[in-house]
Amino acid sequence: DVKVTQSSRYLVKRTGEKVFLECVQDMDHENMFWYRQDPGLGLRLIYFSYDVKMKEKGDIPEGYSVSREKKERFSLILESASTNQTSMYLCASSLPPGQGLAKNIQYFGAGTRLSVL
Amino acid sequence: DQQVKQNSPSLSVQEGRISILNCDYTNSMFDYFLWYKKYPAEGPTFLISISSIKDKNEDGRFTVFLNKSAKHLSLHIVPSQPGDSAVYFCAASALFTQGAQKLVFGQGTRLTINP
């Protein structure tokens, strides 16, 4: 079974703080993703990484950065947290290209609910 | 610009009856479609999927139908059980970058199964 682990389930931070959200996967997946989930908006892609130190912007990257120093670990960084970044953050991983239709399936962690006050 | 839409925010169904969740999409480049189920305080879990070259895929109580001409897919759950109460997300997959696939999600439908 694929396991994607997010280090914190709940976080409360103050406006302007630097926030780190950590994600680890144990299936040796090349691809890792960060999403945020907001009511009525579904899941929106923030950043994607396809290899160590490699990243691509998703649909809503503003105010966020990412770090991937090891294959199994993908971190989301809020450089200066703002109240509009209060949300549920979800990390996911998937197989690389060449894996047939299985490459389409993303496996999610349990999520981190972040509140910025 | 919502490329994948789930127009029903909520659905309530009697236990034992059929649940039908709907999803519409606008981008004809989507080549694979997935349904995820999400319980409160948990991440989404993959439920069932369908390739764009098929019009039906069945897995136990779950069947997904794809109508490409209408750009519409639906998830049928029969018979519905109380444990099916969750939020269901429809997602469409398209080639993104570096050969990876990107999932575009709908807004979700909260399904409640009543005893």
Side-chain angles (χ1 to χ4, degrees):
Chain A
D1 261 1
V2 177
K3 189 157 186 187
V4 179
T5 303
Q6 295 183 232
S7 55
S8 303
R9 296 300 300 273
Y10 301 95
L11 276 178
V12 180
K13 297 293 181 181
R14 297 216 172 268
T15 303
E17 278 192 77
K18 190 168 186 175
V19 181
F20 292 86
L21 303 183
E22 307 287 344
C23 175
V24 176
Q25 51 94 6
D26 66 357
M27 282 303 292
D28 204 34
H29 285 172
E30 270 76 7
N31 297 330
M32 295 188 75
F33 307 81
W34 274 106
Y35 293 87
R36 62 179 282 176
Q37 182 200 348
D38 299 288
L41 297 177
L43 281 70
R44 294 178 292 166
L45 181 64
I46 305 172
Y47 263 100
F48 160 63
S49 170
Y50 54 93
D51 202 349
V52 174
K53 297 191 186 296
M54 308 307 287
K55 61 186 180 185
E56 292 279 348
K57 292 180 180 178
D59 299 315
I60 51 165
E62 297 79 18
Y64 303 94
S65 63
V66 290
S67 172
R68 191 152 179 214
E69 297 296 320
K70 292 185 178 181
K71 189 176 184 179
E72 67 272 17
R73 187 179 296 272
F74 191 33
S75 303
L76 179 69
I77 303 157
L78 287 66
E79 296 289 343
S80 177
S82 63
T83 55
N84 63 11
Q85 292 179 310
T86 291
S87 186
M88 168 70 86
Y89 289 88
L90 293 159
C91 174
S93 70
S94 73
L95 288 167
Q99 299 297 320
L101 294 176
K103 70 178 187 291
N104 291 285
I105 300 172
Q106 294 181 17
Y107 300 90
F108 286 84
T112 297
R113 184 163 292 284
L114 173 68
S115 296
V116 182
L117 306 178
Chain B
D1 176 25
Q2 193 78 23
Q3 296 186 67
V4 178
K5 288 185 181 179
Q6 294 175 255
N7 291 317
S8 299
S10 62
L11 177 67
S12 187
V13 174
Q14 206 72 23
E15 182 180 357
R17 307 293 289 267
I18 185 170
S19 295
I20 300 176
L21 293 91
N22 293 303
C23 178
D24 297 297
Y25 62 95
T26 58
N27 190 341
S28 56
M29 297 301 291
F30 291 139
D31 57 4
Y32 198 77
F33 301 89
L34 307 88
W35 285 93
Y36 281 83
K37 177 179 181 179
K38 187 180 183 301
Y39 291 119
E42 293 184 16
T45 54
F46 169 70
L47 187 58
I48 192 170
S49 61
I50 187 166
S51 166
S52 60
I53 62 172
K54 295 190 173 184
D55 55 18
K56 177 181 174 182
N57 187 30
E58 191 171 351
D59 183 4
R61 296 186 298 113
F62 303 91
T63 302
V64 56
F65 295 93
L66 175 62
N67 182 334
K68 281 185 69 176
S69 60
K71 294 191 175 67
H72 177 84
L73 65 155
S74 60
L75 173 68
H76 292 212
I77 306 172
V78 56
S80 300
Q81 299 175 353
D84 297 329
S85 295
V87 176
Y88 289 79
F89 290 99
C90 166
S93 177
L95 188 61
F96 178 37
T97 181
Q98 305 298 325
Q101 298 294 118
K102 173 183 177 179
L103 292 184
V104 180
F105 286 85
Q107 305 97 313
T109 297
R110 181 178 301 279
L111 176 65
T112 303
I113 305 301
N114 302 308

